[in-house]
Amino acid sequence: MDLLVVQELLKSDTSIPFRASTGYTHHTWARTFHSRPELYLRPQSHAEIQKIVNLARKCRRRLTTVGCGHSPSDLTCTSSWMVNLDDYSEVLSVDSSHHVVMQSGIRLHELGEQLHKYGLAMPNLGSIDNQSIAGAIATGTHGSTLEHGLLSEAVVALKIILANGRTILCSKDQNEEVFRAALISLGALGIITEITFKAVPSFNIEWTQRIQSLDSVLSSWEGNLWTQSEFVRVWWLPYSKRAVVWNAEKTAKPELPAVKSWYDGKVGYHTYHILLYIGQWIPRFLPTVEWFVFGMQYGFKSGKTTSAVQASREGLLMNCLYSQFVNEWALPLSKGPEAISRLSAWLHGDKANLSCIPFSSKGLYVHCPIEVRVSDTSSSSVRPYLDPTCPDEPTLYLNATLYRPYNQDPPCRKRYYEAFEWLMKDMGGRPHWAKNFATVHKSEIWRMYGSNIESWLKIRDEVDPEGMFVGDWHHRNLLPDNATLPLSEKLVKKEKAFGGGWLVRGILEEKTHLELSRPSSRAESFDLMHGAEAEASVFLPLDNDTYET
């Protein structure tokens, strides 16, 4: 451990543990990115998290908070200090109004099990439940229903430890600007430690899925496709021009387990994986893989239907199968038929140039399905500043998934994602923050968000003026090029990782300028403040009584 860290530890309250380890290698769930943090920290209490933040400030370190690393981007990578909150994951209280206060590290599957003990459930879920509740909120996670918005829609209040070591309370009635910035914080404001969440009475869902032609899906788009049930999602099979339409409604019926599907079993799972790997070398084989695998999974003929009754915490999920890139965009629901028709034309050769996409699809074959989901945040009372959804109408999400069979990148990725992202931008879309968007410049993101991103950046700079929670991902995608944040981290090396993906290494900005300025001349720099002054400093005109020590 670095000598400065040891010295500061000896000065700190030794009754509060500092649970740190070295030699840890972090990777995303999909193993797309890897990093080796200097220290890997697993606190178990609020006091321990505060201690970490105060030590990081005094030792001039950046902090990154991580859960399961399900985002396939390098958002969670760091060479500095990494904080994992898996051991900070208790439900603290549940009141008669179904307000649940929880520690922020709890994973969604654990939260679902704990809520069930109280006869409660989350009102909505995304496709998986491996994420921590804080990570799901911070990246704009959503499900697929026009009766709900983002998962953060049910958040009532947040507690956040800021870079000065103090804890701020925020909600729509208290420090609303901070609340709106923190609802999609991308980990760049501080460490969210407590979440108050509005749960609902637990419920079962009865779901049905059926195979339909793509034409029938598009023809019912303006009809009852998205309103036939509370929860609806579609998996589009582009080469066979078919789709799986899944819909679910709340029910009082007892559970009726789903019939085990083909690739949920060992034979189907490994067969599909091998076929995808063969497609790496023989891409024109992929349309046949689609026909065979999804025929085995859902049926070879249109009209095939399956159904089940499950608890919502299980039935709303799906099997993500293998390591994958995901490139999801939000756009107006009304533009769905045009977007899907243009992408379909492009994938099928587009000889008539119906798509107007300025990239050739010749010799390009992609994976399936393309996931089609919806939400509606148009009536949300508090919108996050970085909310990618449509404020005035329901939102459509198109997700171009590409598997990485045996952790190998698919050869079609660069051209496919260039074309897909060009189309999404042409349709007025915005990328999902946690996904693998690749061709979007920060200037385009600023145009997409306008004054909202200015408000987010203003709050971010006020609560973390030295960039303790800022990494290279934030610099590339959000921050002005002239942003000077001494504790922020920038990429200095990127190399192929053993077993696939990229190993990235960063360095703090102030270290890159060490010869030019040492110490920092910044008037309010925390390293020039003495302990009590730094910990008491306030950067926001916050409401009274909203700080905790």
Side-chain angles (χ1 to χ4, degrees):
M1 193 178 291
D2 184 85
L3 179 59
L4 175 60
V5 178
V6 174
Q7 291 173 339
E8 291 297 337
L9 270 173
L10 292 174
K11 296 176 188 177
S12 67
D13 184 349
T14 55
S15 68
I16 300 174
F18 185 70
R19 306 176 197 272
S21 60
T22 59
Y24 178 79
T25 299
H26 163 74
H27 62 76
T28 60
W29 173 84
R31 297 182 180 270
T32 44
F33 288 94
H34 308 247
S35 65
R36 293 173 179 152
E38 176 191 4
L39 291 182
Y40 183 65
L41 302 138
R42 294 191 59 156
Q44 297 180 7
S45 70
H46 189 272
E48 290 180 38
I49 301 172
Q50 280 187 310
K51 181 172 183 174
I52 289 169
V53 172
N54 287 327
L55 283 169
R57 185 183 66 250
K58 294 170 183 177
C59 296
R60 316 302 292 156
R61 297 301 197 272
R62 180 206 170 197
L63 290 177
T64 300
T65 308
V66 66
C68 71
H70 201 268
S71 169
S73 75
D74 61 332
L75 178 61
T76 57
C77 290
T78 186
S79 296
S80 195
W81 290 6
M82 179 172 286
V83 182
N84 179 283
L85 299 179
D86 281 351
D87 296 330
Y88 187 71
S89 57
E90 295 183 6
V91 171
L92 301 177
S93 66
V94 180
D95 69 16
S96 58
S97 298
H98 302 160
H99 287 162
V100 183
V101 181
M102 66 202 75
Q103 294 174 331
S104 60
I106 192 167
R107 300 290 183 93
L108 294 182
H109 63 85
E110 296 173 8
L111 177 59
E113 292 170 1
Q114 292 297 316
L115 291 177
H116 183 63
K117 295 177 182 178
Y118 293 93
L120 298 174
M122 296 182 69
N124 189 21
L125 280 170
S127 297
I128 62 164
D129 62 356
N130 293 331
Q131 315 104 307
S132 68
I133 182 68
I137 291 168
T139 54
T141 298
H142 60 89
S144 190
T145 163
L146 290 184
E147 296 187 25
H148 303 277
L150 303 178
L151 262 61
S152 61
E153 187 176 68
V155 174
V156 177
L158 297 170
K159 267 188 188 178
I160 312 169
I161 298 181
L162 304 180
N164 62 0
R166 303 295 294 275
T167 302
I168 182 177
L169 311 175
C170 59
S171 67
K172 70 176 183 178
D173 301 316
Q174 191 174 42
N175 300 313
E176 182 182 359
E177 289 186 344
V178 182
F179 188 56
R180 292 183 65 189
L183 284 175
I184 297 183
S185 70
L186 301 170
L189 270 66
I191 298 180
I192 294 174
T193 57
E194 273 184 28
I195 296 166
T196 302
F197 195 90
K198 176 73 171 177
V200 299
S202 60
F203 60 95
N204 288 348
I205 58 169
E206 181 174 19
W207 60 257
T208 301
Q209 62 187 21
R210 61 192 178 280
I211 297 285
Q212 294 183 208
S213 68
L214 179 60
D215 285 343
S216 69
V217 169
L218 296 180
S219 66
S220 62
W221 195 277
E222 300 293 340
N224 71 339
L225 175 63
W226 301 109
T227 58
Q228 59 186 298
S229 299
E230 181 174 351
F231 304 96
V232 184
R233 60 191 177 211
V234 173
W235 296 291
W236 168 28
L237 312 176
Y239 293 113
S240 60
K241 296 186 178 181
R242 298 194 303 164
V244 180
V245 178
W246 181 98
N247 63 283
E249 200 69 77
K250 292 174 182 173
T251 181
K253 295 179 181 179
E255 292 186 28
L256 178 65
V259 176
K260 191 172 184 179
S261 66
W262 184 68
Y263 56 51
D264 283 335
K266 288 184 178 180
V267 172
Y269 179 90
H270 291 293
T271 298
Y272 188 18
H273 210 176
I274 291 168
L275 292 174
L276 286 170
Y277 186 74
I278 294 172
Q280 298 282 91
W281 306 100
I282 312 173
R284 63 176 58 251
F285 180 51
L286 288 173
T288 302
V289 173
E290 176 192 298
W291 169 82
F292 173 73
V293 168
F294 288 92
M296 294 293 292
Q297 178 73 6
Y298 298 111
F300 289 95
K301 294 183 178 180
S302 295
K304 174 73 180 295
T305 300
T306 54
S307 61
V309 178
Q310 294 179 286
S312 61
R313 66 184 185 278
E314 298 172 352
L316 291 173
L317 307 177
M318 62 172 285
N319 187 349
C320 287
L321 296 172
Y322 323 110
S323 170
Q324 59 194 250
F325 291 113
V326 282
N327 196 341
E328 183 175 67
W329 287 62
L331 61 156
L333 180 61
S334 59
K335 294 186 177 181
E338 179 186 348
I340 291 172
S341 297
R342 289 173 66 182
L343 184 57
S344 179
W346 185 79
L347 289 171
H348 284 272
D350 198 16
K351 294 179 180 179
N353 195 31
L354 298 175
S355 71
C356 299
I357 297 174
F359 301 92
S360 172
S361 62
K362 185 177 180 180
L364 180 137
Y365 298 91
V366 305
H367 299 159
C368 64
I370 296 171
E371 191 175 24
V372 187
R373 295 186 288 170
V374 295
S375 74
D376 191 352
T377 62
S378 59
S379 61
S380 295
S381 59
V382 178
R383 291 187 67 84
Y385 286 125
L386 297 184
D387 188 342
T389 63
C390 303
D392 302 320
E393 68 170 281
T395 296
L396 167 70
Y397 304 92
L398 285 181
N399 182 10
T401 299
L402 286 174
Y403 291 113
R404 303 178 63 247
Y406 302 103
N407 296 321
Q408 301 302 304
D409 293 353
C412 63
R413 180 193 172 201
K414 184 177 184 296
R415 189 158 35 122
Y416 181 33
Y417 279 1
E418 280 179 336
F420 179 72
E421 292 184 17
W422 185 93
L423 175 61
M424 293 299 99
K425 285 184 278 188
D426 191 55
M427 299 295 298
R430 293 173 174 177
H432 190 302
W433 293 111
K435 310 300 187 183
N436 292 111
F437 57 93
T439 67
V440 185
H441 189 266
K442 70 177 73 174
S443 61
E444 294 177 292
I445 290 178
W446 292 344
R447 285 196 295 271
M448 291 173 186
Y449 286 88
S451 62
N452 279 329
I453 201 164
E454 293 176 5
S455 298
W456 186 87
L457 288 168
K458 176 179 177 290
I459 295 296
R460 204 229 67 76
D461 287 345
E462 288 175 342
V463 299
D464 179 24
E466 292 199 303
M468 180 188 288
F469 300 101
V470 171
D472 190 76
W473 187 96
H474 303 98
H475 275 290
R476 291 197 317 270
N477 295 300
L478 291 170
L479 272 60
D481 291 334
N482 61 355
T484 302
L485 302 170
L487 295 185
S488 68
E489 191 172 5
K490 290 190 173 180
L491 179 71
V492 294
K493 190 174 184 181
K494 180 179 177 181
E495 58 187 330
K496 284 288 187 180
F498 178 77
W502 292 96
L503 176 64
V504 296
R505 185 168 71 87
I507 189 170
L508 300 194
E509 185 171 323
E510 74 174 9
K511 291 186 178 180
T512 65
H513 304 291
L514 199 58
E515 297 82 4
L516 299 176
S517 59
R518 187 176 184 181
S520 170
S521 61
R522 193 180 170 103
E524 297 215 344
S525 178
F526 281 129
D527 65 334
L528 299 182
M529 293 181 177
H530 297 288
E533 179 188 355
E535 292 173 14
S537 61
V538 177
F539 294 95
L540 289 172
L542 300 170
D543 299 339
N544 293 332
D545 303 322
T546 60
Y547 270 118
E548 294 185 354
T549 56

